[in-house]
């Protein structure tokens, strides 16, 4: 069994080395970096099991890094994020928890507490993932970049995947236990949900403007595909102006790419040229070309423009049972 991987982001070299040494002695694998930029570079190709992050750092600080990850990498939401800080004021802890931090460790670091906290957080994540494996029909929806909301026969929300939860927070939509949003568009959304859940319509669409966001909502009853758990319909929610790319792990699994190949594919999808990809990854252009040939072979495409279109797409195919 592979040991859990910890990403430690700390700009003080001696403290960073000490934390890494303690964690390695406890049999964890460790990636130790000095700032947010290095951390983001690592996260393009690696998925840690827990992140330890200093708050006060040059450039992007810890709060900004956490906000960036929560906004752009929903597939990392289940990774515990722990702040390392010399400041332990009540206000700062509240600010950090509001931003999505899972825990705090104050400096100077108590290494016994560090090891206990890491073990507890990893155990918590393992139990959560185990429960998700017991319910694969909904857990798999968290892999999608489009928001998916499953409705019961009464129009109530039975499940909302991560993308839907993120879009709902940004657009100030309440996803539970029933859909709710203020204004005339809110009434239209509630009516749409009831119609598709009850099977009154075969499909429905709504362009929703709320919370400063413009979202497209598509709804369809599941018909004979409805499960015994009472799920009767599905809504998809997307922002047509902010289409998200597939994350590296999903891309890797879809096309059997290596982590390096998935990383190259995503950077190409960002619009980078081959030489820019090489600079970003600190590899040669020959290495990038080698990875691209493998990507083309595995995906069945032959041009970078087609690769960009593939990675940037998030198809949602409706098929009758």
């Amino acid at each position: 069994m592979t040991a859990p991987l910890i990403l430690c982001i700390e700009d003080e070299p001696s403290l960073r080395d000490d934390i890494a040494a303690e964690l390695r002695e406890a049999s964890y694998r460790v990636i130790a970096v000095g700032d947010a930029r290095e951390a983001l570079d690592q996260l393009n190709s690696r998925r840690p099991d827990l992140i330890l992050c200093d708050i006060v750092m040059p450039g992007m600080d810890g709060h900004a890094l956490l906000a960036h990850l929560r906004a752009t990498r929903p597939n990392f939401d289940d990774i515990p994020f722990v702040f390392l800080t010399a400041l332990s004021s009540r206000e700062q802890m509240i600010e950090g928890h509001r931003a999505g931090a899972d825990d705090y460790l104050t400096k100077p670091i108590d290494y016994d507490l560090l090891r206990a906290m890491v073990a507890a957080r990893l155990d918590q994540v393992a139990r959560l993932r185990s429960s998700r494996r017991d319910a694969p029909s909904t857990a798999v929806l968290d892999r999608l970049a489009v928001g998916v909301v499953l409705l019961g026969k009464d129009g109530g929300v039975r499940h909302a995947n991560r993308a839907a939860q993120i879009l709902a927070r940004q657009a100030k939509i309440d996803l539970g236990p029933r859909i709710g949003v203020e204004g005339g568009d809110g009434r239209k959304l509630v009516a749409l949900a009831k119609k598709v859940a009850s099977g009154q319509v075969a499909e429905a669409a709504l362009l929703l403007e709320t919370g400063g966001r413009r979202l497209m909502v598509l709804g369809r009853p599941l018909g004979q595909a409805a499960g015994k758990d009472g799920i009767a319909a599905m809504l998809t929610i997307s922002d047509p102006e902010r289409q998200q790319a597939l994350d590296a792990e999903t891309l890797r699994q879809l096309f059997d790419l290596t982590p390096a190949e998935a990383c190259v594919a995503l950077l190409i999808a960002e619009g980078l040229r081959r030489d820019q990809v090489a600079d970003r990854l600190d590899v040669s252009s020959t290495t990038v070309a080698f990875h691209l040939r493998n990507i083309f072979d595995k995906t069945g495409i032959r041009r970078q423009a087609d690769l960009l279109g593939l990675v940037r797409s998030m198809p949602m195919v409706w098929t009758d049972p």
Side-chain angles (χ1 to χ4, degrees):
M1 181 177 176
T2 305
L5 178 64
I6 312 297
L7 172 61
C8 176
I9 312 162
E10 167 60 56
D11 66 329
E12 185 181 333
S14 60
L15 178 57
R16 182 172 67 244
D17 292 344
D18 287 346
I19 292 174
E22 287 286 339
L23 292 173
R24 288 182 179 119
E25 187 176 332
S27 299
Y28 297 114
R29 295 178 296 142
V30 181
I31 303 171
V33 299
D35 57 36
R37 182 190 60 79
E38 292 182 58
L40 290 172
D41 286 344
Q42 290 290 334
L43 292 172
N44 281 330
S45 57
R46 308 287 294 278
R47 179 182 170 86
D49 295 287
L50 184 142
I51 298 173
L52 297 171
C53 182
D54 191 15
I55 292 181
V56 180
M57 299 184 293
M60 181 185 289
D61 67 12
H63 285 145
L65 174 60
L66 176 57
H68 175 77
L69 292 177
R70 293 292 186 252
T72 64
R73 307 292 284 271
N75 58 309
F76 282 8
D77 282 356
D78 62 342
I79 298 176
F81 195 103
V82 179
F83 277 134
L84 305 172
T85 178
L87 305 174
S88 57
S89 70
R90 178 176 179 273
E91 290 74 17
Q92 189 172 61
M93 288 189 174
I94 291 174
E95 180 186 355
H97 282 299
R98 281 177 176 167
D102 296 289
D103 217 332
Y104 272 86
L105 277 176
T106 57
K107 303 174 184 178
I109 300 296
D110 181 326
Y111 290 106
D112 289 334
L113 180 60
L114 169 67
R115 287 190 293 269
M117 183 277 299
V118 168
R121 287 292 174 184
L122 291 176
D123 179 66
Q124 182 181 43
V125 170
R127 284 186 278 109
L128 178 61
R129 289 175 179 169
S130 177
S131 67
R132 285 178 178 169
R133 284 193 293 270
D134 293 338
S137 60
T138 56
V140 70
L141 298 179
D142 286 335
R143 303 299 306 170
L144 300 180
V146 68
V148 177
V149 180
L150 301 180
L151 303 175
K153 294 179 181 179
D154 60 353
V157 175
R158 293 292 184 269
H159 179 78
N161 72 346
R162 288 182 195 152
Q165 293 172 28
I166 290 171
L167 287 170
R169 282 199 303 269
Q170 294 170 346
K172 299 180 180 178
I173 298 173
D174 185 0
L175 285 183
R178 292 183 176 275
I179 292 179
V181 60
E182 296 180 358
D185 278 353
R187 290 190 292 274
K188 293 178 183 178
L189 178 59
V190 172
L192 182 151
K194 288 182 178 179
K195 286 180 180 179
V196 295
S198 63
Q200 295 179 36
V201 294
E203 57 187 16
L206 174 65
L207 197 58
L208 181 69
E209 297 192 25
T210 178
R213 301 295 297 273
R214 197 163 181 257
L215 302 178
M216 182 180 294
V217 182
L218 302 175
R220 185 180 174 107
L222 297 180
Q224 295 179 2
K228 296 179 180 179
D229 51 6
I231 295 174
M234 177 169 68
L235 303 181
T236 64
I237 306 175
S238 60
D239 185 336
E241 298 178 358
R242 306 184 190 182
Q243 190 175 15
Q244 297 183 10
L246 296 177
D247 63 272
E249 179 60 20
T250 300
L251 190 65
R252 186 187 67 77
Q253 293 185 22
L254 281 174
F255 299 104
D256 195 28
L257 304 181
T258 66
E261 291 165 357
C263 185
V264 168
L266 290 178
L267 291 176
I268 290 292
E270 289 180 15
L272 274 64
R273 301 188 308 270
R274 295 190 186 193
D275 59 324
Q276 293 173 319
V277 173
D279 289 341
R280 178 77 69 87
L281 299 179
D282 195 23
V283 298
S284 69
S285 295
T286 302
T287 299
V288 173
F290 171 76
H291 288 317
L292 273 175
R293 284 196 299 272
N294 289 340
I295 293 167
F296 291 157
D297 286 342
K298 293 177 180 180
T299 59
I301 58 180
R302 288 291 175 266
R303 299 187 307 157
Q304 286 186 208
D306 294 333
L307 176 62
L308 187 150
L310 174 70
V311 176
R312 294 300 300 174
S313 67
M314 186 59 244
M316 199 67 197
V317 180
W318 298 96
T319 55
D320 289 326

